[in-house]
């Protein structure tokens, strides 16, 4: 029986992880549940899964949980998040907190947990080298639950001695791939993803293709390849979750249903697969698969991500920070959709490269960038 800590338990990744746990009660138990502010959902999860530890941001919510569940180990606030991420009584930690907020907890998970499953892109975008070094130092198995990176991980299973020629990272293209991008695009239109149901921030990132830019940076760290050996391939059907091309020309592809339960279950039970009730693909109904090149002039955020990789680590922190500020401002309807890449580009242009050696330095740069961005 493996004990699972879920950081981001009330979000889409967290709830799907709990679904996998509920369908495999002989293999997993939810030991730790961490959420930001969804008190109602967390209470329901506590009632169903009986965790040992829980976290919620606000003290008043934590007090309510303590009153409802006497004896439960409850944490809150900044210090509480640090403390719960340093517990060492879970076998697997799922990192699904949104944004840069997931960096320090993930770093702590790596130090105190045998296996960490990453669902937070920003952790490797902002702290890739630091995170990978710490995982190697601690002997922690670092896996991924992103559908694309899980697909690559699966394609590489058994291929350890075969060098990667190219990673072919697939993208859905989001809601605007075959539409004109104009300044009057609404929040509602940008949140209408054609394939996946995700949180609002990730969905906006998918619409700008910044999400894919982040995934390029992730792939660079997870699979130890240069960005020149990563190519983004738009695949609107979202059936091929990613591919790996080897030196002999062979392309290994991961093809499967559009359901996040599969990569999550694979990470939890790696490298063995788990049965599920998901409807299997019928290749005779699919008949054909289609692939297209992304337009980097249209999807400027994807281009900016490649630019940030070339510029170095601190530029990737700036990329992430500026994107977080811009996406929040758009979701709050304070800027236009087309302002998102402009804000990021201006922040990158103003940045002067610095060396970052600690989590604290990364978080400080992130804070400085966020504070420097003026949105009227």
């Amino acid at each position: 029986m493996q004990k699972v800590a879920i950081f981001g338990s009330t979000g889409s990744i967290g709830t799907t992880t709990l679904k996998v746990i509920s369908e495999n009660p002989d293999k997993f138990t939810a030991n730790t549940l961490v959420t930001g502010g969804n008190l109602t959902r967390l209470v329901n999860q506590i009632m169903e899964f009986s965790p040992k530890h829980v976290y919620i941001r606000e003290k008043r919510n934590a007090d309510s949980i303590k009153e409802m569940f006497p004896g439960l180990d409850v944490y809150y606030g900044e210090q509480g998040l640090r403390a719960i991420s340093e517990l060492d009584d879970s076998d697997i930690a799922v990192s699904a907190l949104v944004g840069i907020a997931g960096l320090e907890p993930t770093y702590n998970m790596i130090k105190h947990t045998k296996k960490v499953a990453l669902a937070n892109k920003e952790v490797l975008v902002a702290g890739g080298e630091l995170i990978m070094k710490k995982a190697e130092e601690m002997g922690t198995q670092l896996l991924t639950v992103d559908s694309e990176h899980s697909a690559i991980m699966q394609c590489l299973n058994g291929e350890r001695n075969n060098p990667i020629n190219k990673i072919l990272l697939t993208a859905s293209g989001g809601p605007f791939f075959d539409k004109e991008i104009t300044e009057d695009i609404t929040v509602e239109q940008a949140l209408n993803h054609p394939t996946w149901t995700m949180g609002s921030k990730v969905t906006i990132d998918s619409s700008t293709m910044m999400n894919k830019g982040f995934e390029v940076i992730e792939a660079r760290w997870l699979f130890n390849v240069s960005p020149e050996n990563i190519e983004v391939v738009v695949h609107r059907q979202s059936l091929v979750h990613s591919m790996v091309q080897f030196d002999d020309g062979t392309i290994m592809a991961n093809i499967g249903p559009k359901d996040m339960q599969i990569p999550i279950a694979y990470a939890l039970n790696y490298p063995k697969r788990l049965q599920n009730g998901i409807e299997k693909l019928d290749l005779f109904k699919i008949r054909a698969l289609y692939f297209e090149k992304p337009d980097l002039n249209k999807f400027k955020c994807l281009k900016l991500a490649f630019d940030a990789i070339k510029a170095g680590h601190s530029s990737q922190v700036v990329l992430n920070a500026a994107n977080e500020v811009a996406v929040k401002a758009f979701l709050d309807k304070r800027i236009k959709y087309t302002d998102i890449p402009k804000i990021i580009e201006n922040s990158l242009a103003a940045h002067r490269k610095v060396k970052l050696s600690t989590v604290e330095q990364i978080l400080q740069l992130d804070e400085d960038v966020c504070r420097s961005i003026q949105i009227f």
Side-chain angles (χ1 to χ4, degrees):
M1 180 73 70
Q2 297 192 75
K3 298 175 183 177
V4 184
I6 306 172
F7 287 72
S9 69
T10 61
S12 59
I13 295 295
T15 54
T16 305
T17 303
L18 286 169
K19 185 174 187 291
V20 173
I21 290 172
S22 68
E23 292 180 358
N24 297 273
D26 59 321
K27 294 182 180 295
F28 309 106
T29 182
N31 189 54
T32 301
L33 300 179
V34 173
T35 188
N38 196 329
L39 177 62
T40 301
R41 184 170 287 181
L42 179 61
V43 167
N44 290 335
Q45 291 176 347
I46 293 169
M47 293 174 66
E48 181 177 356
F49 293 95
S50 301
K52 184 177 179 181
H53 318 284
V54 299
Y55 169 94
I56 193 163
R57 186 183 304 114
E58 299 294 333
K59 182 181 186 300
R60 58 186 175 85
N61 289 334
D63 290 340
S64 297
I65 290 174
K66 287 178 182 178
E67 189 175 332
M68 285 184 278
F69 304 97
L72 180 60
D73 190 26
V74 183
Y75 298 78
Y76 66 90
E78 186 177 332
Q79 293 300 320
L81 182 57
R82 182 174 296 116
I84 200 169
S85 66
E86 291 178 336
L87 296 178
D88 60 2
D89 60 347
S90 293
D91 302 299
I92 307 169
V94 177
S95 173
L97 294 173
V98 177
I100 195 71
L103 177 59
E104 184 179 8
T106 304
Y107 188 76
N108 291 337
M109 293 175 216
I110 288 170
K111 291 191 290 183
H112 299 284
T113 312
K114 299 173 185 175
K115 180 162 69 173
V116 174
L118 274 176
N120 175 311
K121 293 175 173 54
E122 293 85 353
V123 166
L124 288 182
V125 171
E129 185 173 8
L130 200 66
I131 291 292
M132 298 306 293
K133 281 184 177 179
K134 180 54 66 174
E136 183 178 1
E137 176 189 327
M138 301 303 300
T140 303
Q141 192 173 34
L142 196 60
L143 302 170
T144 175
V145 300
D146 274 349
S147 61
E148 294 84 356
H149 297 95
S150 175
I152 296 164
M153 189 167 67
Q154 292 176 60
C155 288
L156 292 173
N157 202 357
E159 299 286 346
R160 187 179 300 273
N161 296 320
N162 290 317
I164 297 170
N165 177 267
K166 188 181 293 185
I167 284 176
L168 301 168
L169 194 66
T170 58
S172 69
F176 307 129
F177 184 74
D178 52 3
K179 295 182 177 70
E180 185 181 0
I181 292 181
T182 61
E183 63 180 23
D184 59 352
I185 286 173
T186 66
V187 170
E188 293 72 25
Q189 288 171 328
L191 288 173
N192 187 25
H193 196 280
T195 305
W196 301 102
T197 300
M198 306 173 287
S200 58
K201 197 269 182 184
V202 178
T203 305
I204 299 300
D205 283 347
S206 182
S207 75
T208 64
M209 291 195 76
M210 179 60 87
N211 194 46
K212 205 53 51 179
F214 285 169
E215 288 178 8
V216 170
I217 298 172
E218 278 188 284
R220 178 258 179 275
W221 291 113
L222 284 169
F223 307 111
N224 193 29
V225 295
S226 66
E228 291 77 19
N229 296 108
I230 305 171
E231 184 174 352
V232 174
V233 179
V234 176
H235 173 58
R236 304 285 282 163
Q237 296 155 291
S238 296
L239 297 173
V240 179
H241 300 297
S242 273
M243 299 167 278
V244 176
Q245 187 172 58
F246 295 98
D247 283 344
D248 65 353
T250 298
I251 294 178
M252 299 278 282
N254 176 274
I255 305 173
K258 294 173 277 190
D259 196 309
M260 282 303 297
Q261 187 175 341
I262 296 172
I264 290 171
Y266 187 71
L268 291 183
N269 205 48
Y270 181 85
K272 296 181 179 179
R273 301 181 186 276
L274 291 171
Q275 289 188 347
N276 57 55
I278 299 168
E279 184 179 355
K280 305 299 186 288
L281 290 184
D282 184 341
L283 294 179
F284 297 105
K285 289 182 180 178
I286 297 169
R287 300 187 68 180
L289 297 169
Y290 301 95
F291 305 97
E292 301 171 77
K293 278 184 174 290
D295 183 344
L296 296 186
N297 292 318
K298 179 179 179 179
F299 294 100
K300 294 180 181 177
C301 285
L302 179 56
K303 180 182 183 300
L304 290 171
F306 275 102
D307 291 343
I309 295 172
K310 294 175 185 175
H313 181 194
S314 63
S315 292
Q316 293 161 43
V317 177
V318 173
L319 176 85
N320 177 69
N323 181 68
E324 282 202 20
V325 171
V327 169
K328 186 179 187 306
F330 174 67
L331 286 169
D332 292 342
K333 301 185 178 180
R334 292 186 290 130
I335 64 170
K336 297 173 183 177
Y337 184 78
T338 49
D339 288 332
I340 295 174
K342 292 176 184 176
I343 289 170
I344 299 166
E345 186 172 24
N346 290 339
S347 295
L348 285 170
H351 176 62
R352 295 297 174 262
K353 183 177 178 180
V354 295
K355 183 172 177 56
L356 302 170
S357 304
T358 67
V359 169
E360 290 75 21
Q361 289 173 346
I362 293 170
L363 293 177
Q364 185 61 58
L365 176 58
D366 174 84
E367 185 179 329
D368 292 344
V369 173
C370 291
R371 193 187 304 115
S372 71
I373 297 173
Q374 301 295 318
I375 294 179
F376 302 98

